[in-house]
Amino acid sequence: PVTIAARTRHATPTPRQGESIFDASVVLPCAYEYEYAARTVRSVSAATPPEILREIVVVDDGSTPPLRIPEPARWKAFVVRLEKTGGLIRARIAGAAAATGAVIVFFDCHVRPMDGYWRGLLAPIEADYRVATVPTVTRLDAATWQPVGSPTRGGAKCYLTFDTDFKWTFDATDDVPIMSGGLVAISRRWWNETGGYDSSMLGWGGENIDLSL
């Protein structure tokens, strides 16, 4: 499990100046992650203002027994169930299809967003709907659900090698050569215009390269 902290080097509006006009649907693809799914839903709801959070779409990728979220309405969450396991990418596609927010935020089903994470994700998209944003990925203690180490030091960028592998890289700019994949925000408009993920992909590891390119 990981926690996330958004990169906020760009100036973003303060509440008094007017927050983002965008709202976001958070999509969580989950397979047999019962406790983690519930924790992640609660964490996303707690870290996201209600005027920003349109909904949390939990995609149950064929879990047996089916995944349940206690008190879903309290967290603005609902479950989309795939009766047969479709794989991570198809689960994300199903979640995106059910999302109604202006921005689709894909998280893994075992994250704890940091307070204010949404500002760094939404502000660049508000300026240009064709921008996709990724947060910094840090460590999370699965037992205590508390961040481990610095909340602002972690991975956010990857680069592509000629064997179509991707590796982590670090620099001081806001540009990201290749997205890490598991945690990414994209406007629903740009998602639809680009066609989203390739539905023939099953597991993780290629969708981030595809979308980045």
Side-chain angles (χ1 to χ4, degrees), residues 167-191:
K167 298 176 174 62
W168 292 100
T169 185
F170 303 89
D171 62 44
T173 72
D174 286 326
D175 297 323
V176 179
I178 298 293
M179 295 178 283
S180 58
L183 313 173
V184 60
I186 185 172
S187 70
R188 189 152 57 91
R189 176 182 175 185
W190 190 228
W191 170 265

Side-chain angles (χ1 to χ4, degrees), residues 21-34:
I21 61 171
F22 280 3
D23 59 2
S25 297
V26 177
V27 174
L28 306 176
C30 305
Y32 297 92
E33 295 187 86
Y34 302 101

Side-chain angles (χ1 to χ4, degrees), residues 145-170:
W145 211 245
Q146 294 299 316
V148 177
S150 171
T152 59
R153 292 184 62 84
K157 305 182 181 189
C158 297
Y159 67 92
L160 181 65
T161 56
F162 282 104
D163 58 358
T164 66
D165 193 9
F166 58 94
K167 298 176 174 62
W168 292 100
T169 185
F170 303 89

Side-chain angles (χ1 to χ4, degrees), residues 111-122:
V111 303
R112 177 186 171 184
M114 306 296 290
D115 290 339
Y117 79 93
W118 54 273
R119 291 188 176 94
L121 292 181
L122 298 190

Side-chain angles (χ1 to χ4, degrees), residues 35-169:
E35 180 183 357
Y36 289 153
R39 284 185 170 189
T40 300
V41 165
R42 294 194 297 267
S43 297
V44 169
S45 178
T48 316
E51 64 271 20
I52 296 297
L53 182 62
R54 170 66 69 91
E55 65 219 347
I56 302 173
V57 184
V58 180
V59 183
D60 179 7
D61 190 16
S63 303
T64 305
L67 189 150
R68 297 282 185 263
I69 300 297
E71 301 180 278
R74 179 179 178 182
W75 318 113
K76 303 179 76 170
F78 64 90
V79 176
V80 173
R81 175 165 171 79
L82 304 182
E83 294 299 331
K84 181 179 178 181
T85 300
L88 175 60
I89 307 309
R90 290 175 182 172
R92 288 180 182 164
I93 292 172
T100 61
V103 176
I104 302 171
V105 180
F106 294 99
F107 285 161
D108 287 333
C109 204
H110 40 258
V111 303
R112 177 186 171 184
M114 306 296 290
D115 290 339
Y117 79 93
W118 54 273
R119 291 188 176 94
L121 292 181
L122 298 190
I125 297 174
E126 189 171 9
D128 183 351
Y129 81 94
R130 295 171 299 177
V131 169
T133 57
V134 294
T136 298
V137 184
T138 58
R139 296 178 60 197
L140 181 67
D141 187 302
T144 65
W145 211 245
Q146 294 299 316
V148 177
S150 171
T152 59
R153 292 184 62 84
K157 305 182 181 189
C158 297
Y159 67 92
L160 181 65
T161 56
F162 282 104
D163 58 358
T164 66
D165 193 9
F166 58 94
K167 298 176 174 62
W168 292 100
T169 185

